[in-house]
Amino acid sequence: MRNAHRKPLRDKLFLALAGLAIRHRLRVFVAVGLVTLLAVSALPFLKLRTTRQGMHPPDLPEQIRYERFLEDFGTATQLVILLEGDTDAVKAAADAVAAELGQNGDWVRNVFYRVDLAYFERIGPYFLPLDSLQTADAWLAGHEAELRGLLASPSAATALAQLAQLGGSAKIDFAQIEKQLAGLQQGLDGWKRFLTGEEENVALFGPESFEELLPPGSAEMLAAEGYLLGKDRRSALLFVQPAKTTDDCGFISPFMAYSRAATAAALKSHPGVTAGFTGWPVAVDEEVSMMKRDLLVVSLFSTLVILLLLYVSFRSLTKSALVFVPLVFGVLWNTALIYLLVGYLSYFTTVFIGLLFSLGTGYGIIFMRRFREELIEGYDTERAMERTFVGAGPGIATSAVTTIAAFVAISLFDVPAFSQMGIVSATGMLCLLVATMLILPPLMMVFREKIKSQAHIRVVGAGALEWAWRQVARAPLLFLLCGAAVIPAAIFLVPRVGFDYDVNHLLPADSETRVVAERLEQVMGQQTQFIAVTADNLEQVRRLQEKIAALPTVAKIESAASMLPPNLEEKRAALLRLHKRVAAWPAPQPPPTPDTEALAAQLRAFAAELAGHQEAAFAEGRGNLVTALGETSASLEAIAVALSAPGAADREHRFEMSLVAAFDDLRGRLATAATSEPLSLASLPEDLRLRFVGSSGRLALMVFPKEEIWDPDFLARFVDEVTGAAQEVLGKNEGEQNTAGFAVVYRQTSKLIWNGLRRALLLTLVFVALLLLIDFRRPMPALLAAVPFVVSMGATLSLLALAGRSLNMASQLALPVLIGIGVDFGVHTVHRWLEPDGVDLAKVVRTIGGAVWLAGATNMTGFGALLLARYVGLAHFGAILFVGIFLAFGGALLGIPAAIAALRLDRRSAK
């Protein structure tokens, strides 16, 4: 028996397994049945969770802070509905959708889609600087007589008569003139625009309109009647807060079904308006749907193709079933281990359960192929079984353990979604190995077959493989050199392989989550992700906002401080004084019909007086005042010209009437601002309060980035700058603890994933090297067995670089898996070469080659089936392994024999 004197313990173990198959089949079947019943009983308890729930370690401090923020505010778990159509239509549709969604409190907590404009109309004066209000009060007190006179006869002529007194004293007060000119010039500009038809409204409260006094974006919101419209005014946003902050698909899926149905019902009466959905609930719902669909499609396709391959190769339904049946038991056993070790299924773990069939089929193929060869050699069934266990068993075990080692390395990832996939796959491969070695041999003893000739067990495609070897055998050194050229090419090309950090790119291009999110950024003109900084009070929020707004990575900040200006008590007192003063004045009389000719003459006379002041200012060396007086004189002349145009009298009368109306509006605004409920967090409209004030009473600032957070360099700067600013305001520890958000978590998670990949690759290489040395006990055969994965890894990554494709969060996991699977083929080939008849390389290729080719084909089928998956990350994962496995078994079946022949290796020295 081969190498019995060198490996007695291993051979005894495999002979014991053969004894179970030969003499204790009934006991094996009973034990398998009992274990399977226990495993099946665990199936109802397995829960389904989304991959997004497992993308972050639960004990990650950043994740804990983020979950705390979500629990308090719930903002990031909102559903976002984007309505598009004509401006008026989307406004009406937004009303209807919000009303329909809000009818069921079991699913929807609130809908934020429109701001109460009465609040903004009331708070406008509070956004004026405190010193401006105080200055206005002092000015009104100093000019009360003139203003009362103007109210008694509210006309431009009266106002000009009063202005003509500017600097009319013997000693010209240049400082007073300069101070008056700024406001005068702005008033003249508005007068001119009104007369020329450029403007139809008049605002009295300072140099700006009330809308322009409000926080950034408020003017647009007021113009949109409070609706959250996009830049194009043809889209409206609705933020729907679910009744629960959970992302459990047991709640999210029916919540999304309700939201879609309610939106569709509301839009029936608004033809031409379309709705798109995005946000966390949509992503979770889509992922669950893809999970179910991909599991069915991938599993069904790969199973059918594998069964077809087995049938074509074995030419027997019975033999095909014999190989496949142990896999079913192995997968069932693994579900029990998943329940015990993980407790639930996610997207990756679910799909990998389907892939186990393709990964484990090779064990049965190689075992059955070797058993049939032993029968052809003339051994009886029992003896053939013993020789099969001793001859093929070590190679099967080693190849299985190398693949398991790769998955164990992945299980050490700090990201639960990946580590759980590694655990499920490692335990799955172990279950398949045990099931194959325990169940298949007894079944083969029960369903015995008679082998007539070598042709009877010839595998489809073996002829092409043998022909390829004959070509390689003519110049093995040349073939070896061509294969070795992969190494320098890989050294040059592999560093060019990029890494795509955008998790949205894991979804299909037509995914609603992805499409609507991209559209949302277009219509809103900003990124949708943000960092949240929480604070205890408004004073902290204001200090944070001032500090963070100056950061170069920050595009925009939203907070309660934007809705509640500073110095509220002092401003309220100033506004109350202004209100009392203005309220005591008499109501303005209707302005008389203007005499435009007289008014034009009055303007020119005033301009001439200012020209005299201009000469005096020049003599005093006041250059700025000279320029200002010149601009004011030019404006006076322009208005005088406009008063001579046709219809000027009518426009001038409407202008003076507008001034009277504006004064009444001013008096009303002052009364409202000064006498209504004091501004506070409690006075904020409910929608705004729920957005910025958590259930704990803490306040939140939402900091939006200038660029996409998927660029790791920008993400690091963005998080560091915002966190640093928070630490400066709140203190080092408090600043860090109060900074949360997906961007903060993802920065750490992306580091963990990248570091996990490097660690998994290193550990896989170490595990595989040790296993090969333990198995072969000599470096030379171990190196030969490593040839396939070295060639396949280098060539696959080089092809990836040449194609300009990047690795992503999912496809990166293919690399350690490729090492484990790639070594499998090399192990089987080298084991066959080390057998007594292995000196005949053509026979090695002919015998083990057929089995390795068929095992590789089943592996390629399983991973190739992933190309049918909707989940892009999984499809890329499958594509890399499909190409890599093809190159790996090509390297095993042609590269290893070529190396042996070219280097004239002596297998005796390798034993």
Side-chain angles (χ1 to χ4, degrees):
M1 189 171 296
R2 179 178 66 87
N3 299 330
H5 64 289
R6 301 195 55 184
K7 303 174 183 176
L9 291 178
R10 187 173 71 178
D11 287 355
K12 286 181 181 180
L13 173 62
F14 284 107
L15 286 173
L17 290 173
L20 289 177
I22 296 170
R23 292 178 290 275
H24 304 289
R25 293 190 292 273
L26 181 59
R27 294 180 183 178
V28 170
F29 292 147
V30 171
V32 167
L34 291 175
V35 171
T36 304
L37 284 175
L38 288 174
V40 170
S41 66
L43 285 176
F45 300 98
L46 272 176
K47 297 180 180 179
L48 188 64
R49 294 182 63 183
T50 69
T51 300
R52 290 176 179 249
Q53 289 169 297
M55 284 301 290
H56 317 294
D59 58 349
L60 188 71
E62 291 80 1
Q63 177 65 15
I64 293 172
R65 299 203 304 265
Y66 187 37
E67 290 175 354
R68 189 167 62 232
F69 169 77
L70 293 180
E71 186 66 27
D72 199 1
F73 292 87
T75 305
T77 58
Q78 288 181 338
L79 165 67
V80 182
I81 303 178
L82 176 64
L83 302 179
E84 295 192 87
D86 292 334
T87 302
D88 292 337
V90 295
K91 290 179 183 178
D95 288 330
V97 171
E100 189 73 28
L101 285 170
Q103 289 183 2
N104 193 329
D106 293 337
W107 296 114
V108 176
R109 179 184 175 191
N110 75 291
V111 182
F112 175 43
Y113 77 104
R114 189 179 185 184
V115 176
D116 180 8
L117 294 185
Y119 170 78
F120 286 97
E121 291 176 354
R122 179 164 66 91
I123 69 172
Y126 282 92
F127 282 94
L128 280 170
L130 178 61
D131 59 352
S132 296
L133 293 174
Q134 294 170 338
T135 300
D137 184 51
W139 188 88
L140 291 177
H143 296 79
E144 187 166 353
E146 296 95 323
L147 291 170
R148 285 178 176 274
L150 182 59
L151 291 174
S153 178
S155 66
T158 304
L160 280 174
Q162 294 178 354
L163 286 172
Q165 300 173 14
L166 183 68
S169 61
K171 181 178 174 67
I172 300 176
D173 187 347
F174 290 110
Q176 180 67 16
I177 294 175
E178 192 167 8
K179 185 177 180 181
Q180 298 281 359
L181 280 179
L184 174 60
Q185 182 61 49
Q186 291 173 348
L188 293 176
D189 288 342
W191 187 5
K192 181 177 65 176
R193 287 194 299 273
F194 196 100
L195 288 175
T196 56
E198 298 176 30
E199 194 171 283
E200 295 294 335
N201 297 307
V202 175
L204 284 183
F205 202 91
E208 300 171 310
S209 67
F210 276 96
E211 289 78 3
E212 292 170 328
L213 296 176
L214 299 178
S218 299
E220 291 82 358
M221 188 163 51
L222 290 171
E225 300 177 80
Y227 293 92
L228 306 182
L229 300 187
K231 294 186 301 181
D232 59 0
R233 301 288 173 143
R234 293 178 54 82
S235 53
L237 290 181
L238 294 90
F239 294 93
V240 183
Q241 182 66 56
K244 299 179 182 179
T245 57
T246 179
D247 58 0
D248 178 17
C249 58
F251 172 80
I252 291 297
S253 293
F255 164 74
M256 282 305 307
Y258 168 77
S259 299
R260 292 181 189 279
T263 302
L267 292 183
K268 285 182 179 179
S269 56
H270 299 278
V273 177
T274 60
F277 300 82
T278 191
W280 188 277
V282 188
V284 171
D285 189 45
E286 278 196 312
E287 190 169 284
V288 171
S289 298
M290 282 189 288
M291 187 187 306
K292 295 176 180 177
R293 181 260 182 198
D294 290 350
L295 176 62
L296 177 63
V297 171
V298 170
S299 300
L300 185 61
F301 178 83
S302 60
T303 300
L304 291 176
V305 175
I306 289 170
L307 286 172
L308 180 61
L309 283 171
L310 293 175
Y311 176 74
V312 171
S313 297
F314 293 131
R315 301 178 182 85
S316 166
L317 286 175
T318 301
K319 295 299 176 288
S320 301
L322 290 183
V323 172
F324 202 78
V325 166
L327 305 182
V328 176
F329 284 95
V331 169
L332 289 174
W333 296 349
N334 195 39
T335 56
L337 290 178
I338 294 172
Y339 173 70
L340 293 174
L341 298 175
V342 179
Y344 60 88
L345 292 171
S346 69
Y347 184 91
F348 286 135
T349 56
T350 302
V351 175
F352 260 83
I353 289 176
L355 289 177
L356 290 176
F357 287 101
S358 62
L359 289 172
T361 304
Y363 304 153
I365 290 171
I366 291 171
F367 192 91
M368 183 174 285
R369 170 76 183 187
R370 181 56 181 266
F371 178 72
R372 300 172 106 194
E373 285 183 15
E374 297 296 345
L375 291 177
I376 289 176
E377 294 293 329
Y379 296 101
D380 60 36
T381 306
E382 288 77 9
R383 184 62 176 157
M385 182 60 67
E386 291 178 342
R387 289 181 61 83
T388 299
F389 264 105
V390 175
I396 292 174
T398 301
S399 66
V401 174
T402 57
T403 304
I404 291 172
F407 286 120
V408 168
I410 293 174
S411 73
L412 299 178
F413 264 80
D414 294 316
V415 177
F418 297 162
S419 64
Q420 290 161 8
M421 186 271 281
I423 293 170
V424 168
S425 301
T427 57
M429 296 302 295
L430 180 61
C431 288
L432 294 181
L433 174 64
V434 172
T436 299
M437 301 304 279
L438 280 181
I439 301 173
L440 178 60
L443 288 175
M444 291 168 62
M445 296 300 294
V446 172
F447 297 93
R448 304 187 186 195
E449 66 174 334
K450 295 182 179 180
I451 305 300
K452 299 176 183 179
S453 65
Q454 183 72 34
H456 184 67
I457 64 170
R458 190 177 182 83
V459 175
V460 173
L465 184 61
E466 293 169 23
W467 175 86
W469 166 244
R470 288 195 297 271
Q471 310 312 310
V472 170
R474 293 177 181 176
L477 182 59
L478 178 61
F479 184 83
L480 186 64
L481 290 174
C482 291
V486 169
I487 297 175
I491 293 174
F492 174 72
L493 291 171
V494 170
R496 297 168 57 184
V497 177
F499 194 91
D500 186 355
Y501 287 87
D502 192 339
V503 295
N504 288 327
H505 291 171
L506 299 177
L507 299 171
D510 61 348
S511 158
E512 185 176 30
T513 303
R514 184 173 169 181
V515 170
V516 178
E518 292 172 354
R519 178 62 182 157
L520 185 61
E521 291 182 0
Q522 291 175 359
V523 299
M524 299 305 294
Q526 68 179 47
Q527 302 297 317
T528 55
Q529 295 292 346
F530 61 85
I531 293 178
V533 183
T534 55
D536 294 324
N537 52 62
L538 266 176
E539 179 57 31
Q540 288 182 342
V541 172
R542 291 193 178 99
R543 289 164 55 203
L544 285 166
Q545 183 153 328
E546 181 180 3
K547 194 77 176 176
I548 295 173
L551 299 176
T553 56
V554 173
K556 175 184 175 183
I557 300 175
E558 294 181 1
S559 76
S562 301
M563 310 300 158
L564 293 170
N567 304 315
L568 287 174
E569 290 302 319
E570 295 90 337
K571 289 181 178 180
R572 181 176 175 83
L575 287 169
L576 184 59
R577 288 194 300 271
L578 281 169
H579 158 62
K580 289 180 177 179
R581 187 179 305 282
V582 173
W585 293 351
Q589 299 301 311
T593 302
D595 182 346
T596 54
E597 290 186 8
L599 186 57
Q602 194 176 1
L603 285 166
R604 290 189 171 98
F606 185 36
E609 183 179 348
L610 292 183
H613 293 326
Q614 189 176 22
E615 292 178 4
F618 180 78
E620 292 286 333
R622 296 176 175 271
N624 292 336
L625 182 57
V626 171
T627 302
L629 287 167
E631 291 175 353
T632 302
S633 297
S635 296
L636 292 169
E637 178 60 31
I639 295 171
V641 172
L643 288 171
S644 302
D650 179 60
R651 293 195 63 82
E652 174 61 22
H653 187 61
R654 286 194 290 114
F655 173 69
E656 294 177 3
M657 292 287 290
S658 296
L659 287 174
V660 171
F663 178 80
D664 285 337
D665 178 65
L666 170 60
R667 181 150 45 186
R669 287 180 184 271
L670 288 174
T672 300
T675 61
S676 60
E677 174 191 1
L679 293 184
S680 65
L681 289 172
S683 69
L684 285 172
E686 182 182 11
D687 292 331
L688 293 176
R689 189 170 63 254
L690 290 174
R691 186 169 178 81
F692 298 121
V693 184
S695 57
S696 66
R698 291 180 61 80
L699 310 180
L701 295 89
M702 297 169 191
V703 185
F704 293 85
K706 277 187 178 178
E707 301 176 23
E708 293 186 348
I709 65 169
W710 312 122
D711 178 348
D713 293 332
F714 173 79
L715 176 61
R717 295 197 309 274
F718 179 50
V719 173
D720 285 344
E721 288 182 2
V722 174
T723 304
Q727 289 175 325
E728 287 187 39
V729 174
L730 304 175
K732 185 173 183 180
N733 184 61
E734 286 296 313
E736 183 178 12
Q737 291 300 315
N738 291 354
T739 304
F742 175 79
V744 179
V745 177
Y746 188 63
R747 183 200 180 180
Q748 295 303 116
T749 303
S750 59
K751 286 182 181 178
L752 294 176
I753 291 174
W754 183 243
N755 292 334
L757 173 62
R758 290 187 294 182
R759 183 171 61 241
L761 288 172
L762 178 61
L763 290 176
T764 302
L765 290 171
V766 172
F767 289 161
V768 167
L770 290 175
L771 289 169
L772 291 178
L773 289 173
I774 292 171
D775 183 27
F776 295 110
R777 302 194 179 188
R778 293 290 186 275
M780 190 265 287
L783 287 173
L784 283 176
V787 166
F789 93 77
V790 172
V791 172
S792 64
M793 181 70 77
T796 301
L797 289 175
S798 297
L799 291 173
L800 202 63
L802 290 172
R805 304 300 294 270
S806 299
L807 293 171
N808 57 43
M809 291 297 179
S811 64
Q812 61 164 340
L813 298 177
L815 302 183
V817 175
L818 182 55
I819 295 174
I821 295 176
V823 169
D824 288 0
F825 306 128
V827 167
H828 293 305
T829 303
V830 174
H831 267 290
R832 186 66 184 87
W833 171 61
L834 292 175
E835 294 192 29
D837 58 350
V839 68
D840 184 355
L841 293 176
K843 185 176 182 180
V844 171
V845 173
R846 183 174 64 253
T847 54
I848 194 62
V852 169
W853 133 250
L854 188 55
T858 59
N859 288 169
M860 289 176 62
T861 297
F863 290 111
L866 293 180
L867 294 172
L868 302 175
R870 287 267 298 153
Y871 198 71
V872 174
L874 202 61
H876 287 181
F877 176 90
I880 290 174
L881 283 173
F882 182 86
V883 173
I885 291 172
F886 175 77
L887 295 171
F889 75 68
L893 300 180
L894 299 177
I896 291 178
I900 293 171
L903 302 177
R904 299 182 181 181
L905 299 177
D906 185 351
R907 62 190 180 82
R908 290 174 299 175
S909 64
K911 293 181 182 179

